[in-house]
């Protein structure tokens, strides 16, 4: 029995079943003497004994409870403050503990991995039950791991409540482990942490001014801007410009020879009168807000003041202030439809003069179409040569005009992706959209600058930088910033000014191999912990789970 189930510092007297799912293991200490915890004198004189019943790890799928006979010894040292002392079992139990050390460790690991309620549900099936509150208490009492002083760290923010409160995560980039969670993302908190860690040589961060300020205040470490965030900022710059110029770009003609989608519908189905009225009312409200923002901005009011006064998001106020005309919502291009595989059959039947929607739907149903007749009715309504027999007389004279297929332009967000992607990766339709946009002189200049910057950053990511190539990249970046500052495009000039202000970190991004990408991965794990606790855990518990699970 001893070889099957070793009890640290004890020998097994007997094992008694307790029902179908539990065992009671009676044990006693092996040592013939004990050491007084106060004076450290050894004594073998037994005063009395008592029984403790802590829970232990399960055995053969059954719960195990120990019946530990603990002796009390006399202390014969007359100078000692204790007359008797309890037999110590340091490797098995803590004083007054209700569970063994090894069971505590196992339950704590479950609590770290799963949290309170999920861990408690699992422990029932593992034959070592504990309440959710007990699991969380065990997690809080676990000592944090001792780590070597970090030299190269990555820092990024994470949302406690998205859009409201944020914290910071710090990752040891050499050991690929999180080393600290901070309760906010302010410069003062970050600089305070850096002052306690003077051995840090490199800090990889995003473009946050708070992290830049905190690092510059408390440390002489090299700051490295994250290359992914540089590409993200470039796309956001393009998107901001497109938001203001999109109305002008929509009026550009199609480039000759552009591929036009055939068969598949090029726009959404027409709305009902009620939907059109609601859309028009919404547009009028937003246009009135747009006019008010423009008037306030023209009078010299700051964007933040306008945002607070009107109750609008700062991004919306900035977009309205920079737009040449009202930035109407772009018409969304429809996605794939279950009707698409049957379009050749519909076109063939329509060319033969068949315009009975119900009959066409029945034919498609026999071919395997799983949709409703309404989809066929709406498709056919745009292609009829004459009104249907069931059409009311008041609608027979009207023939709604619809724009030509292919005249739509992607939204500013979708279009920004096209403008920053390498031209070699675009298909024929995307290349045609890009050629159409480049008919605008300002858009062509913006596209050239954005693609050159993205190519420069991507090239540094792909190639291992030598001293000569690194110097060439820095010179190319300096030339790009100088050209962008003189471009005459407000969004580009602002972006270039930000790069120039953060020039040391941006140049380090082109020459150093480090980035904050690992921090992004650790944030994904952090979100898993946070969401598994349903947002009810406080910062201290979340921090402990993240650091203990690393």
């Amino acid at each position: 029995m001893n070889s099957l189930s070793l009890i640290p510092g004890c020998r097994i007297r007997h094992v008694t079943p307790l029902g179908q799912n539990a065992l009671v293991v009676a044990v006693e200490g092996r040592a013939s003497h004990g050491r007084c915890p106060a004076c450290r004198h050894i004594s073998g004189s037994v005063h009395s004994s008592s029984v403790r019943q802590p829970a232990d790890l399960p055995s053969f799928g059954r719960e195990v409870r120990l019946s530990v006979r603990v002796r009390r010894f006399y202390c014969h040292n007359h100078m000692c403050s204790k007359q008797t002392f309890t037999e110590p079992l340091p490797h098995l139990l803590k004083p007054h503990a209700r569970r063994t050390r090894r069971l505590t460790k196992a339950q704590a690991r479950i609590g770290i991995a799963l949290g309170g309620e999920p861990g408690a549900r699992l422990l029932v099936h593992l034959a070592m039950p504990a309440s959710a509150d007990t699991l969380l208490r065990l997690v809080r009492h676990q000592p944090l791991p001792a780590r070597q002083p970090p030299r190269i760290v990555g820092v990024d923010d994470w949302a406690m409540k998205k859009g409201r409160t944020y914290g910071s995560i710090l990752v040891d980039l050499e050991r690929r482990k999180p080393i600290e969670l901070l309760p906010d993302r302010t410069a003062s908190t970050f600089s305070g942490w850096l002052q306690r860690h003077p051995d840090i040589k490199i800090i990889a961060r995003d473009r946050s001014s708070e992290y830049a300020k905190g690092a510059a205040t408390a440390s002489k470490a090299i700051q490295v801007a994250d290359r992914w965030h540089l590409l993200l900022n470039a796309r956001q710059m393009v998107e901001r410009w497109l938001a203001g110029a999109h109305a002008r770009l929509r009026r550009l003609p199609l480039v000759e020879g552009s591929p036009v989608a055939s068969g598949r519908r090029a726009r959404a189905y027409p709305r009902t009168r009620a939907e059109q009225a609601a859309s028009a009312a919404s547009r009028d409200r937003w246009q009135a807000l747009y006019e008010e923002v423009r008037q306030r901005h023209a009078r010299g009011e700051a964007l933040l003041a306008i945002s607070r006064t009107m109750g609008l998001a700062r991004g919306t106020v900035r977009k309205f202030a920079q737009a040449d005309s009202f930035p109407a919502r772009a018409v969304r291009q429809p996605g794939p439809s279950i009707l698409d595989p049957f379009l050749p059959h519909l076109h063939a039947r329509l060319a033969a003069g068949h315009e009975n929607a119900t009959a066409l739907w029945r034919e498609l149903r026999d071919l395997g179409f799983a949709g409703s007749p309404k989809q066929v009715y709406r498709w056919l309504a745009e292609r009829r040569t004459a009104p249907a027999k069931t059409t009311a007389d008041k609608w027979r004279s009207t023939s709604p005009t619809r724009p030509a297929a292919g005249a739509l332009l992607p939204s500013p967000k979708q279009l920004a992706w096209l403008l920053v992607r390498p031209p070699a990766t675009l298909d024929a339709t995307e290349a045609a959209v890009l050629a159409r946009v480049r008919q605008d002189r300002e858009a062509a200049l913006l596209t050239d600058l954005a693609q050159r910057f993205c190519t420069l950053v991507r090239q540094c990511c792909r190639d291992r930088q030598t001293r000569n190539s690194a110097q060439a990249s820095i010179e190319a970046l300096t030339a790009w910033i100088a050209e962008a500052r003189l471009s005459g495009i407000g969004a580009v000039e602002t972006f270039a000014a930000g790069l120039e202000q953060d020039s040391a970190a941006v140049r380090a991004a082109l020459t150093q191999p480090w980035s904050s990408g690992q921090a992004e991965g650790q944030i994904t794990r952090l979100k898993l912990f946070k969401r598994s606790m349903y947002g009810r855990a406080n910062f201290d518990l979340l921090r402990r789970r993240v650091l203990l699970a690393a």
Side-chain angles (χ1 to χ4, degrees):
M1 178 66 72
N2 288 339
S3 61
L4 293 176
S5 178
L6 296 176
I7 308 297
C10 299
R11 58 172 172 265
I12 298 176
R13 297 167 56 200
H14 57 81
V15 178
T16 305
L18 183 64
Q20 297 292 329
N21 300 315
L23 297 173
V24 176
V25 182
V27 299
E28 62 184 5
R30 290 178 179 173
S32 60
H33 57 270
R35 186 182 295 273
C36 177
C39 64
R40 310 303 297 168
H41 279 209
I42 296 176
S43 173
S45 301
V46 178
H47 172 273
S48 59
S49 65
S50 60
V51 176
R52 297 177 61 181
Q53 295 184 332
D56 195 14
L57 288 175
S59 179
F60 298 102
R62 294 183 177 186
E63 297 179 27
V64 172
R65 183 165 293 278
L66 301 182
S67 178
V68 184
R69 182 169 295 279
V70 181
R71 293 167 292 177
R72 179 171 287 274
F73 294 96
Y74 287 104
C75 182
H76 297 298
N77 181 8
H78 301 291
M79 303 298 295
C80 181
S81 60
K82 289 181 174 292
Q83 294 183 358
T84 62
F85 62 90
T86 303
E87 176 182 12
L89 297 172
H91 300 293
L92 179 65
L93 287 167
K94 289 183 179 180
H96 312 291
R98 302 296 301 274
R99 54 183 51 80
T100 61
R101 289 181 180 272
R102 57 189 184 183
L103 178 61
T104 299
K105 184 177 179 180
Q107 291 177 335
R109 296 307 304 178
I110 295 292
I112 292 169
L114 299 180
E117 293 292 345
R121 290 194 293 267
L122 176 62
L123 286 175
V124 172
H125 300 284
L126 297 180
M128 42 182 177
S131 68
D133 291 338
T134 297
L135 283 184
L136 296 184
R137 187 182 71 252
L138 295 179
V139 172
R140 292 183 189 278
H141 289 171
Q142 290 297 300
L144 294 178
R147 304 189 187 280
Q148 298 180 6
R151 295 176 55 255
I152 302 173
V153 300
V155 59
D156 205 348
D157 59 349
W158 57 277
M160 298 182 191
K161 291 185 179 180
K162 191 169 184 179
R164 297 185 181 182
T165 56
Y166 288 82
S168 300
I169 185 171
L170 293 110
V171 179
D172 188 332
L173 298 183
E174 290 183 301
R175 299 175 181 87
R176 310 181 73 87
K177 291 185 177 181
I179 53 178
E180 188 56 275
L181 259 64
L182 303 179
D184 56 46
R185 53 179 179 179
T186 60
S188 59
T189 302
F190 184 47
S191 64
W193 185 87
L194 289 174
Q195 289 173 357
R196 299 190 296 271
H197 298 79
D199 297 328
I200 293 177
K201 304 299 181 184
I202 295 178
I203 301 172
R205 58 171 176 81
D206 58 13
R207 301 293 310 290
S208 169
S209 60
E210 288 293 314
Y211 293 143
K213 188 187 305 181
T217 302
S219 175
K220 295 182 180 180
I222 299 173
Q223 299 185 46
V224 181
D226 184 61
R227 290 177 288 274
W228 181 86
H229 282 90
L230 289 174
L231 296 175
L232 173 66
N233 297 151
R235 184 187 62 78
Q236 290 171 335
M237 174 266 295
V238 174
E239 185 177 343
R240 282 196 300 271
W241 181 84
L242 287 171
H246 198 260
R248 183 175 82 235
L249 299 179
R250 285 202 299 265
R251 295 192 290 268
L252 294 173
L254 292 173
V255 176
E256 185 176 355
S258 299
V260 178
S262 60
R264 190 192 206 173
R265 56 194 175 97
R267 59 182 296 120
Y269 291 120
R271 295 181 170 186
T272 63
R273 289 172 177 259
E275 292 172 336
Q276 293 175 4
S279 178
S282 176
R283 177 190 172 91
D284 292 342
R285 288 194 301 271
W286 280 108
Q287 189 155 10
L289 292 173
Y290 164 76
E291 297 294 344
E292 184 177 351
V293 169
R294 297 283 294 183
Q295 292 172 7
R296 289 176 177 271
H297 186 61
R299 292 198 297 264
E301 293 188 34
L303 297 182
L304 184 57
I306 298 174
S307 172
R308 290 173 176 171
T309 303
M310 299 183 61
L312 297 175
R314 282 178 291 178
T316 302
V317 173
R318 186 186 301 111
K319 179 175 68 174
F320 284 175
Q322 297 175 352
D324 299 334
S325 59
F326 175 63
R329 180 179 297 177
V331 179
R332 188 177 68 176
Q333 296 181 342
S337 169
I338 61 174
L339 195 61
D340 291 345
F342 304 94
L343 290 178
H345 178 81
L346 289 176
H347 282 292
R349 298 294 287 164
L350 186 63
H354 296 276
E355 297 186 1
N356 188 318
T358 303
L360 291 175
W361 171 73
R362 288 170 179 161
E363 294 176 9
L364 296 185
R365 184 184 59 183
D366 296 338
L367 295 175
F369 177 62
S372 64
K374 187 176 182 179
Q375 292 172 281
V376 181
Y377 296 158
R378 299 175 82 173
W379 180 89
L380 186 61
E382 301 176 359
R383 295 164 176 81
R384 288 185 180 277
T385 57
K389 296 180 179 180
T390 56
T391 303
D393 292 338
K394 62 179 180 179
W395 304 120
R396 286 181 175 272
S397 59
T398 61
S399 55
T401 58
R402 302 184 62 80
L408 297 177
L409 194 67
S411 67
K413 187 172 185 177
Q414 294 171 328
L415 197 55
W417 281 105
L418 294 182
L419 267 59
V420 299
R421 282 171 53 189
T425 64
L426 303 180
D427 58 27
T429 303
E430 294 170 338
V433 173
L434 182 60
R436 177 186 174 191
V437 171
R438 288 181 66 92
Q439 294 178 102
D440 184 270
R441 184 195 64 81
E442 195 172 351
L445 176 59
L446 175 85
T447 303
D448 290 337
L449 288 171
Q451 289 183 350
R452 281 171 48 199
F453 178 79
C454 293
T455 301
L456 175 63
V457 176
R458 292 190 185 106
Q459 190 70 26
C460 295
C461 295
R462 287 193 298 265
D463 300 342
R464 183 176 293 277
Q465 293 282 302
T466 63
R467 179 173 297 180
N468 292 335
S469 63
Q471 185 62 32
S473 298
I474 293 176
E475 293 175 356
L477 175 65
T478 304
W480 187 92
I481 291 177
E483 184 178 349
R485 293 296 297 270
L486 301 175
S487 64
I489 305 175
V492 178
E493 292 177 354
T494 302
F495 177 64
L499 293 179
E500 193 169 30
Q501 184 179 2
D502 200 19
S503 59
V506 174
R507 286 175 169 81
L510 304 182
T511 57
Q512 294 283 344
W514 305 103
S515 73
S516 60
Q518 289 186 44
E520 299 288 351
Q522 296 295 343
I523 289 173
T524 301
R525 173 185 286 184
L526 188 154
K527 289 178 180 177
L528 174 63
F529 286 129
K530 181 170 70 76
R531 290 168 181 168
S532 69
M533 294 186 288
Y534 305 100
R536 294 198 293 261
N538 60 14
F539 173 78
D540 174 68
L541 179 60
L542 181 60
R543 172 177 174 269
R544 281 189 165 275
R545 284 191 65 188
V546 171
L547 298 183
L548 289 170

